[in-house]
Amino acid sequence: MVTRNQGSGFKPALFTSRVVNRPAAEWLAASLPGLRSLKGAHQAAWLVNAVRCLDLTTLAGDDTAGRVARLCAKARDPLGPHLAEALGVSVTVGAVCVYPTMVRHAVKALEGSGVPVASVATGFPAGLTPLPLRLAEISYAVDQGADEIDVVITREYALTGDWAALYEEIAQMRAACGEAHLKVILATGDLRSLTTVYRAAMVAMQAGADFIKTSTGKEEVNATLPVSLIMLRAIRDYQAQTGQIVGFKPAGGLRTSKDALTWQVLMKEELGLSWLQPDLFRIGASSLLADIERQLSHYVTGRYAAFHHQEPA
Ligand SMILES: O=C[C@H](O)COP(=O)(O)O
């Protein structure tokens, strides 16, 4: 178990002079998918690892107890007994991620499985409700049994460079989480520049985020490689400055096995293999698992199964 990030106190001097060179970040990100050509058993092993690190998510207005229960059944046994046996693995997903009122259904459905329940909170996805209500929502989700809380930030604080206000809000969110782990969603598609992404990431970590997460899945632009690269550089800088370790969660629009492989390669290149475990890496996705199952099934049987046999919920 990784020691939680305790935060470092608000230290703007550690990030306000940093300016990110966008063309360089884009060039480096573009070179990534070609860095590793994973085939056969290696590819299968990396895909199974992506399943271990998956935050299997449903965040829809028409979510029901029944849908959440079906998702949780999938979370317990994401590859199904035949595929898991053929691969010789026993695996669950990293967590199930739902809205606060769905937490109790997920907790019930996952009882005894060891799979944590993550809840979004703080007026997800826009976060534009008064802070006391957002903090109360965190407390509600924790009381319902959530192990992890995915919060959104006030984008205006980042867009106007009011880093002290952003720090204060996230520190209060961290306190409201108690023992539950805090994932801070930067909603990078709203932040306009990579420099702002870097600075917001540093503030989130200084305020005690256990994970920093790219997106809600509801912005126009969600997880991208350049943004992820800059967030990983921030994690690396924060570790160098404080000795503390923070996890990373790309989320939003990650749908293919290729995405799962590319983001893991990025993690390995930037932070090293030790980060490729559920304590430090999650992929937030609502529809990625079906494609991973399809690729793994192809690896095992030599042919592709139809998607409708593999839909998670
Ligand atoms: O946190 C997870 C995201 O909301 C999932 O986004 P997605 O539906 O594009 O996979």
Side-chain angles (χ1 to χ4, degrees), residues 84-141:
E85 195 188 324
L87 290 162
V89 297
S90 168
V91 65
T92 63
V93 301
V96 164
C97 182
V98 293
Y99 272 116
T101 53
M102 296 290 134
V103 168
R104 68 192 171 98
H105 304 307
V107 168
K108 188 166 163 227
L110 289 170
E111 206 179 336
S113 68
V115 177
V117 176
S119 175
V120 295
T122 69
F124 180 97
L128 290 174
T129 52
L131 184 58
L133 296 185
R134 285 181 277 147
L135 297 176
E137 197 188 2
I138 293 174
S139 302
Y140 170 85

Short mmCIF file of all heavy atoms in Angstrom, two decimals, residues 84-141:
data_model
loop_
_atom_site.label_atom_id
_atom_site.label_comp_id
_atom_site.label_asym_id
_atom_site.label_seq_id
_atom_site.Cartn_x
_atom_site.Cartn_y
_atom_site.Cartn_z
N ALA A 84 -10.56 -15.56 -18.28
CA ALA A 84 -9.60 -15.47 -17.17
C ALA A 84 -8.86 -16.79 -17.00
O ALA A 84 -7.63 -16.81 -16.81
CB ALA A 84 -10.33 -15.09 -15.88
N GLU A 85 -9.59 -17.89 -17.12
CA GLU A 85 -8.95 -19.20 -16.95
C GLU A 85 -7.97 -19.47 -18.10
O GLU A 85 -6.84 -19.92 -17.88
CB GLU A 85 -10.01 -20.29 -16.90
CG GLU A 85 -9.45 -21.60 -16.38
CD GLU A 85 -10.44 -22.75 -16.50
OE1 GLU A 85 -11.65 -22.51 -16.32
OE2 GLU A 85 -9.98 -23.87 -16.81
N ALA A 86 -8.40 -19.14 -19.30
CA ALA A 86 -7.51 -19.37 -20.46
C ALA A 86 -6.23 -18.54 -20.33
O ALA A 86 -5.16 -18.99 -20.75
CB ALA A 86 -8.25 -19.02 -21.75
N LEU A 87 -6.35 -17.36 -19.74
CA LEU A 87 -5.17 -16.50 -19.58
C LEU A 87 -4.38 -16.85 -18.32
O LEU A 87 -3.27 -16.34 -18.12
CB LEU A 87 -5.60 -15.02 -19.50
CG LEU A 87 -6.14 -14.40 -20.80
CD1 LEU A 87 -6.92 -13.12 -20.49
CD2 LEU A 87 -5.01 -14.09 -21.77
N GLY A 88 -5.00 -17.65 -17.45
CA GLY A 88 -4.34 -18.01 -16.19
C GLY A 88 -4.24 -16.85 -15.23
O GLY A 88 -3.25 -16.71 -14.52
N VAL A 89 -5.27 -15.98 -15.23
CA VAL A 89 -5.24 -14.82 -14.33
C VAL A 89 -6.50 -14.76 -13.49
O VAL A 89 -7.55 -15.28 -13.87
CB VAL A 89 -5.11 -13.48 -15.10
CG1 VAL A 89 -3.79 -13.41 -15.85
CG2 VAL A 89 -6.29 -13.23 -16.03
N SER A 90 -6.37 -14.12 -12.32
CA SER A 90 -7.52 -13.84 -11.48
C SER A 90 -7.47 -12.34 -11.24
O SER A 90 -6.54 -11.84 -10.62
CB SER A 90 -7.38 -14.62 -10.17
OG SER A 90 -8.33 -14.15 -9.26
N VAL A 91 -8.44 -11.62 -11.74
CA VAL A 91 -8.31 -10.16 -11.74
C VAL A 91 -9.66 -9.50 -11.46
O VAL A 91 -10.71 -10.04 -11.83
CB VAL A 91 -7.73 -9.70 -13.11
CG1 VAL A 91 -8.67 -9.98 -14.25
CG2 VAL A 91 -7.33 -8.25 -13.10
N THR A 92 -9.62 -8.39 -10.73
CA THR A 92 -10.79 -7.52 -10.61
C THR A 92 -10.37 -6.16 -11.17
O THR A 92 -9.18 -5.93 -11.41
CB THR A 92 -11.25 -7.31 -9.14
OG1 THR A 92 -10.20 -6.64 -8.44
CG2 THR A 92 -11.57 -8.63 -8.46
N VAL A 93 -11.33 -5.26 -11.32
CA VAL A 93 -10.96 -3.90 -11.76
C VAL A 93 -10.44 -3.11 -10.55
O VAL A 93 -10.53 -3.56 -9.41
CB VAL A 93 -12.15 -3.15 -12.41
CG1 VAL A 93 -12.66 -3.92 -13.62
CG2 VAL A 93 -13.25 -2.87 -11.41
N GLY A 94 -9.90 -1.91 -10.83
CA GLY A 94 -9.34 -1.06 -9.77
C GLY A 94 -10.41 -0.49 -8.85
O GLY A 94 -10.22 -0.41 -7.63
N ALA A 95 -11.54 -0.08 -9.42
CA ALA A 95 -12.65 0.47 -8.64
C ALA A 95 -13.86 0.58 -9.56
O ALA A 95 -13.75 0.47 -10.79
CB ALA A 95 -12.30 1.85 -8.08
N VAL A 96 -15.03 0.78 -8.92
CA VAL A 96 -16.23 1.14 -9.67
C VAL A 96 -16.52 2.60 -9.34
O VAL A 96 -16.46 3.00 -8.17
CB VAL A 96 -17.42 0.24 -9.27
CG1 VAL A 96 -18.74 0.82 -9.75
CG2 VAL A 96 -17.22 -1.17 -9.85
N CYS A 97 -16.79 3.41 -10.36
CA CYS A 97 -16.98 4.84 -10.14
C CYS A 97 -18.40 5.24 -10.52
O CYS A 97 -18.84 4.99 -11.65
CB CYS A 97 -15.96 5.62 -10.98
SG CYS A 97 -16.04 7.41 -10.75
N VAL A 98 -19.12 5.85 -9.57
CA VAL A 98 -20.54 6.18 -9.76
C VAL A 98 -20.87 7.55 -9.16
O VAL A 98 -20.05 8.16 -8.47
CB VAL A 98 -21.43 5.11 -9.07
CG1 VAL A 98 -21.31 3.75 -9.76
CG2 VAL A 98 -21.12 4.99 -7.58
N TYR A 99 -22.10 7.99 -9.37
CA TYR A 99 -22.62 9.20 -8.71
C TYR A 99 -22.93 8.89 -7.24
O TYR A 99 -23.19 7.73 -6.88
CB TYR A 99 -23.91 9.65 -9.41
CG TYR A 99 -23.69 10.58 -10.59
CD1 TYR A 99 -24.06 10.19 -11.88
CD2 TYR A 99 -23.14 11.84 -10.41
CE1 TYR A 99 -23.87 11.05 -12.97
CE2 TYR A 99 -22.95 12.70 -11.48
CZ TYR A 99 -23.32 12.31 -12.76
OH TYR A 99 -23.13 13.15 -13.81
N PRO A 100 -22.96 9.95 -6.40
CA PRO A 100 -23.14 9.72 -4.95
C PRO A 100 -24.37 8.90 -4.57
O PRO A 100 -24.28 8.06 -3.67
CB PRO A 100 -23.25 11.15 -4.39
CG PRO A 100 -22.49 12.00 -5.35
CD PRO A 100 -22.70 11.38 -6.70
N THR A 101 -25.50 9.11 -5.23
CA THR A 101 -26.70 8.37 -4.82
C THR A 101 -26.64 6.90 -5.26
O THR A 101 -27.49 6.11 -4.85
CB THR A 101 -27.98 9.01 -5.39
OG1 THR A 101 -27.82 9.15 -6.81
CG2 THR A 101 -28.24 10.36 -4.75
N MET A 102 -25.66 6.56 -6.07
CA MET A 102 -25.50 5.17 -6.51
C MET A 102 -24.49 4.41 -5.65
O MET A 102 -24.32 3.21 -5.81
CB MET A 102 -25.04 5.13 -7.98
CG MET A 102 -26.03 5.69 -8.96
SD MET A 102 -27.48 4.61 -9.11
CE MET A 102 -28.79 5.83 -9.01
N VAL A 103 -23.82 5.14 -4.73
CA VAL A 103 -22.74 4.51 -3.95
C VAL A 103 -23.26 3.33 -3.15
O VAL A 103 -22.67 2.24 -3.14
CB VAL A 103 -22.06 5.55 -3.02
CG1 VAL A 103 -21.15 4.87 -2.00
CG2 VAL A 103 -21.26 6.56 -3.84
N ARG A 104 -24.42 3.49 -2.50
CA ARG A 104 -24.89 2.39 -1.63
C ARG A 104 -25.20 1.14 -2.43
O ARG A 104 -24.98 0.02 -1.97
CB ARG A 104 -26.08 2.83 -0.78
CG ARG A 104 -27.34 3.10 -1.54
CD ARG A 104 -28.37 3.81 -0.64
NE ARG A 104 -29.50 4.25 -1.44
CZ ARG A 104 -30.63 3.56 -1.52
NH1 ARG A 104 -30.79 2.43 -0.88
NH2 ARG A 104 -31.63 4.02 -2.27
N HIS A 105 -25.67 1.33 -3.67
CA HIS A 105 -25.95 0.14 -4.50
C HIS A 105 -24.64 -0.56 -4.86
O HIS A 105 -24.57 -1.79 -4.88
CB HIS A 105 -26.67 0.55 -5.79
CG HIS A 105 -27.94 1.31 -5.53
ND1 HIS A 105 -28.93 0.83 -4.70
CD2 HIS A 105 -28.38 2.51 -6.00
CE1 HIS A 105 -29.92 1.72 -4.66
NE2 HIS A 105 -29.61 2.74 -5.44
N ALA A 106 -23.61 0.25 -5.15
CA ALA A 106 -22.32 -0.33 -5.51
C ALA A 106 -21.68 -1.02 -4.30
O ALA A 106 -21.12 -2.12 -4.43
CB ALA A 106 -21.39 0.76 -6.06
N VAL A 107 -21.78 -0.38 -3.14
CA VAL A 107 -21.19 -0.97 -1.93
C VAL A 107 -21.82 -2.34 -1.68
O VAL A 107 -21.12 -3.33 -1.41
CB VAL A 107 -21.41 -0.04 -0.71
CG1 VAL A 107 -21.08 -0.74 0.59
CG2 VAL A 107 -20.54 1.22 -0.86
N LYS A 108 -23.14 -2.40 -1.83
CA LYS A 108 -23.85 -3.67 -1.59
C LYS A 108 -23.41 -4.73 -2.61
O LYS A 108 -23.10 -5.87 -2.27
CB LYS A 108 -25.36 -3.41 -1.70
CG LYS A 108 -26.20 -4.57 -1.29
CD LYS A 108 -27.65 -4.13 -1.09
CE LYS A 108 -28.53 -5.37 -1.10
NZ LYS A 108 -29.70 -5.23 -1.94
N ALA A 109 -23.37 -4.32 -3.85
CA ALA A 109 -23.07 -5.29 -4.91
C ALA A 109 -21.61 -5.76 -4.88
O ALA A 109 -21.30 -6.83 -5.40
CB ALA A 109 -23.38 -4.66 -6.28
N LEU A 110 -20.75 -4.96 -4.26
CA LEU A 110 -19.31 -5.32 -4.27
C LEU A 110 -18.85 -5.93 -2.95
O LEU A 110 -17.67 -6.23 -2.77
CB LEU A 110 -18.46 -4.08 -4.58
CG LEU A 110 -18.55 -3.58 -6.02
CD1 LEU A 110 -17.88 -2.22 -6.17
CD2 LEU A 110 -17.92 -4.59 -6.99
N GLU A 111 -19.80 -6.12 -2.03
CA GLU A 111 -19.45 -6.61 -0.70
C GLU A 111 -18.57 -7.88 -0.79
O GLU A 111 -18.89 -8.81 -1.54
CB GLU A 111 -20.74 -6.96 0.05
CG GLU A 111 -20.58 -6.87 1.54
CD GLU A 111 -21.89 -7.19 2.25
OE1 GLU A 111 -22.97 -7.05 1.65
OE2 GLU A 111 -21.79 -7.62 3.41
N GLY A 112 -17.48 -7.87 -0.06
CA GLY A 112 -16.61 -9.05 -0.01
C GLY A 112 -15.67 -9.19 -1.20
O GLY A 112 -14.83 -10.08 -1.23
N SER A 113 -15.79 -8.30 -2.19
CA SER A 113 -14.96 -8.45 -3.40
C SER A 113 -13.60 -7.76 -3.27
O SER A 113 -12.68 -8.06 -4.03
CB SER A 113 -15.69 -7.83 -4.61
OG SER A 113 -15.76 -6.42 -4.44
N GLY A 114 -13.51 -6.81 -2.34
CA GLY A 114 -12.27 -6.02 -2.23
C GLY A 114 -12.18 -4.91 -3.27
O GLY A 114 -11.19 -4.18 -3.31
N VAL A 115 -13.20 -4.78 -4.14
CA VAL A 115 -13.16 -3.71 -5.15
C VAL A 115 -13.67 -2.42 -4.50
O VAL A 115 -14.80 -2.38 -4.00
CB VAL A 115 -14.03 -4.05 -6.38
CG1 VAL A 115 -14.04 -2.90 -7.38
CG2 VAL A 115 -13.56 -5.34 -7.04
N PRO A 116 -12.87 -1.35 -4.49
CA PRO A 116 -13.32 -0.10 -3.88
C PRO A 116 -14.42 0.59 -4.69
O PRO A 116 -14.52 0.38 -5.90
CB PRO A 116 -12.06 0.79 -3.88
CG PRO A 116 -10.94 -0.06 -4.37
CD PRO A 116 -11.51 -1.26 -5.04
N VAL A 117 -15.20 1.39 -3.98
CA VAL A 117 -16.22 2.21 -4.65
C VAL A 117 -15.72 3.65 -4.68
O VAL A 117 -15.35 4.21 -3.65
CB VAL A 117 -17.56 2.14 -3.91
CG1 VAL A 117 -18.58 3.08 -4.56
CG2 VAL A 117 -18.09 0.70 -3.91
N ALA A 118 -15.70 4.22 -5.87
CA ALA A 118 -15.35 5.64 -6.02
C ALA A 118 -16.61 6.41 -6.34
O ALA A 118 -17.47 5.93 -7.10
CB ALA A 118 -14.33 5.81 -7.15
N SER A 119 -16.73 7.59 -5.75
CA SER A 119 -17.88 8.44 -6.05
C SER A 119 -17.38 9.78 -6.59
O SER A 119 -16.46 10.36 -6.02
CB SER A 119 -18.69 8.70 -4.78
OG SER A 119 -19.74 9.62 -5.04
N VAL A 120 -18.00 10.26 -7.66
CA VAL A 120 -17.75 11.65 -8.02
C VAL A 120 -18.50 12.52 -7.01
O VAL A 120 -19.44 12.06 -6.35
CB VAL A 120 -18.21 11.98 -9.47
CG1 VAL A 120 -17.38 11.21 -10.47
CG2 VAL A 120 -19.69 11.74 -9.65
N ALA A 121 -18.08 13.76 -6.85
CA ALA A 121 -18.74 14.67 -5.90
C ALA A 121 -18.40 16.10 -6.27
O ALA A 121 -17.76 16.34 -7.29
CB ALA A 121 -18.28 14.35 -4.47
N THR A 122 -18.84 17.02 -5.42
CA THR A 122 -18.60 18.46 -5.57
C THR A 122 -19.26 19.05 -6.82
O THR A 122 -18.68 19.83 -7.56
CB THR A 122 -17.09 18.83 -5.54
OG1 THR A 122 -16.44 18.36 -6.71
CG2 THR A 122 -16.40 18.28 -4.31
N GLY A 123 -20.51 18.65 -7.01
CA GLY A 123 -21.26 19.23 -8.13
C GLY A 123 -20.74 18.80 -9.48
O GLY A 123 -20.81 19.56 -10.45
N PHE A 124 -20.23 17.56 -9.54
CA PHE A 124 -19.73 16.99 -10.80
C PHE A 124 -20.81 17.13 -11.88
O PHE A 124 -21.96 16.85 -11.61
CB PHE A 124 -19.41 15.51 -10.55
CG PHE A 124 -18.89 14.76 -11.75
CD1 PHE A 124 -17.53 14.57 -11.92
CD2 PHE A 124 -19.76 14.20 -12.67
CE1 PHE A 124 -17.04 13.85 -13.01
CE2 PHE A 124 -19.28 13.49 -13.76
CZ PHE A 124 -17.93 13.32 -13.93
N PRO A 125 -20.47 17.51 -13.12
CA PRO A 125 -19.12 17.77 -13.62
C PRO A 125 -18.69 19.24 -13.56
O PRO A 125 -17.50 19.51 -13.66
CB PRO A 125 -19.21 17.33 -15.08
CG PRO A 125 -20.63 17.61 -15.47
CD PRO A 125 -21.45 17.40 -14.22
N ALA A 126 -19.60 20.22 -13.40
CA ALA A 126 -19.20 21.63 -13.52
C ALA A 126 -18.60 22.17 -12.22
O ALA A 126 -17.75 23.05 -12.23
CB ALA A 126 -20.38 22.50 -13.94
N GLY A 127 -19.09 21.66 -11.07
CA GLY A 127 -18.55 22.11 -9.79
C GLY A 127 -18.97 23.50 -9.40
O GLY A 127 -18.31 24.14 -8.57
N LEU A 128 -20.05 23.99 -9.96
CA LEU A 128 -20.45 25.38 -9.70
C LEU A 128 -21.61 25.46 -8.70
O LEU A 128 -22.58 26.17 -8.92
CB LEU A 128 -20.78 26.08 -11.01
CG LEU A 128 -19.54 26.34 -11.90
CD1 LEU A 128 -19.93 26.90 -13.26
CD2 LEU A 128 -18.55 27.28 -11.20
N THR A 129 -21.47 24.73 -7.60
CA THR A 129 -22.40 24.88 -6.49
C THR A 129 -21.60 25.43 -5.31
O THR A 129 -20.36 25.32 -5.30
CB THR A 129 -23.07 23.55 -6.12
OG1 THR A 129 -22.04 22.56 -5.93
CG2 THR A 129 -24.00 23.06 -7.22
N PRO A 130 -22.27 26.04 -4.32
CA PRO A 130 -21.51 26.65 -3.22
C PRO A 130 -20.63 25.63 -2.50
O PRO A 130 -21.01 24.46 -2.35
CB PRO A 130 -22.62 27.18 -2.30
CG PRO A 130 -23.81 27.33 -3.18
CD PRO A 130 -23.72 26.24 -4.20
N LEU A 131 -19.47 26.08 -2.04
CA LEU A 131 -18.50 25.17 -1.43
C LEU A 131 -19.09 24.34 -0.28
O LEU A 131 -18.83 23.13 -0.21
CB LEU A 131 -17.24 25.94 -0.99
CG LEU A 131 -16.12 25.07 -0.42
CD1 LEU A 131 -15.65 24.02 -1.43
CD2 LEU A 131 -14.94 25.94 0.02
N PRO A 132 -19.88 24.95 0.63
CA PRO A 132 -20.42 24.11 1.72
C PRO A 132 -21.26 22.94 1.18
O PRO A 132 -21.21 21.84 1.73
CB PRO A 132 -21.30 25.09 2.52
CG PRO A 132 -20.72 26.43 2.22
CD PRO A 132 -20.22 26.38 0.81
N LEU A 133 -21.98 23.15 0.09
CA LEU A 133 -22.77 22.06 -0.49
C LEU A 133 -21.86 21.01 -1.10
O LEU A 133 -22.10 19.80 -1.01
CB LEU A 133 -23.73 22.59 -1.56
CG LEU A 133 -24.81 23.55 -1.11
CD1 LEU A 133 -25.75 23.88 -2.27
CD2 LEU A 133 -25.61 22.96 0.05
N ARG A 134 -20.77 21.49 -1.73
CA ARG A 134 -19.84 20.53 -2.34
C ARG A 134 -19.16 19.68 -1.26
O ARG A 134 -18.94 18.49 -1.44
CB ARG A 134 -18.80 21.28 -3.19
CG ARG A 134 -19.41 21.76 -4.52
CD ARG A 134 -18.39 22.47 -5.37
NE ARG A 134 -18.23 23.86 -4.98
CZ ARG A 134 -17.10 24.56 -5.05
NH1 ARG A 134 -16.00 23.97 -5.50
NH2 ARG A 134 -17.05 25.81 -4.69
N LEU A 135 -18.82 20.32 -0.13
CA LEU A 135 -18.18 19.56 0.96
C LEU A 135 -19.18 18.59 1.57
O LEU A 135 -18.83 17.44 1.90
CB LEU A 135 -17.64 20.53 2.02
CG LEU A 135 -16.54 21.48 1.52
CD1 LEU A 135 -16.15 22.47 2.63
CD2 LEU A 135 -15.29 20.71 1.05
N ALA A 136 -20.43 19.04 1.69
CA ALA A 136 -21.46 18.15 2.25
C ALA A 136 -21.68 16.94 1.34
O ALA A 136 -21.93 15.83 1.80
CB ALA A 136 -22.77 18.92 2.43
N GLU A 137 -21.53 17.17 0.05
CA GLU A 137 -21.71 16.06 -0.89
C GLU A 137 -20.59 15.02 -0.71
O GLU A 137 -20.83 13.81 -0.81
CB GLU A 137 -21.72 16.60 -2.33
CG GLU A 137 -22.30 15.61 -3.32
CD GLU A 137 -22.14 16.06 -4.77
OE1 GLU A 137 -21.55 17.13 -5.02
OE2 GLU A 137 -22.59 15.31 -5.64
N ILE A 138 -19.39 15.49 -0.45
CA ILE A 138 -18.29 14.55 -0.16
C ILE A 138 -18.63 13.73 1.09
O ILE A 138 -18.52 12.51 1.10
CB ILE A 138 -16.96 15.31 0.05
CG1 ILE A 138 -16.51 15.98 -1.25
CG2 ILE A 138 -15.88 14.37 0.58
CD1 ILE A 138 -15.27 16.86 -1.11
N SER A 139 -19.07 14.44 2.14
CA SER A 139 -19.40 13.73 3.39
C SER A 139 -20.51 12.71 3.16
O SER A 139 -20.46 11.59 3.69
CB SER A 139 -19.86 14.73 4.46
OG SER A 139 -18.86 15.68 4.68
N TYR A 140 -21.49 13.08 2.35
CA TYR A 140 -22.59 12.15 2.03
C TYR A 140 -22.03 10.88 1.37
O TYR A 140 -22.36 9.76 1.77
CB TYR A 140 -23.60 12.84 1.10
CG TYR A 140 -24.64 11.90 0.54
CD1 TYR A 140 -25.80 11.61 1.25
CD2 TYR A 140 -24.44 11.30 -0.71
CE1 TYR A 140 -26.74 10.73 0.72
CE2 TYR A 140 -25.38 10.43 -1.24
CZ TYR A 140 -26.53 10.14 -0.52
OH TYR A 140 -27.45 9.27 -1.03
N ALA A 141 -21.19 11.06 0.37
CA ALA A 141 -20.65 9.90 -0.37
C ALA A 141 -19.80 9.03 0.56
O ALA A 141 -19.86 7.79 0.49
CB ALA A 141 -19.83 10.38 -1.56
#
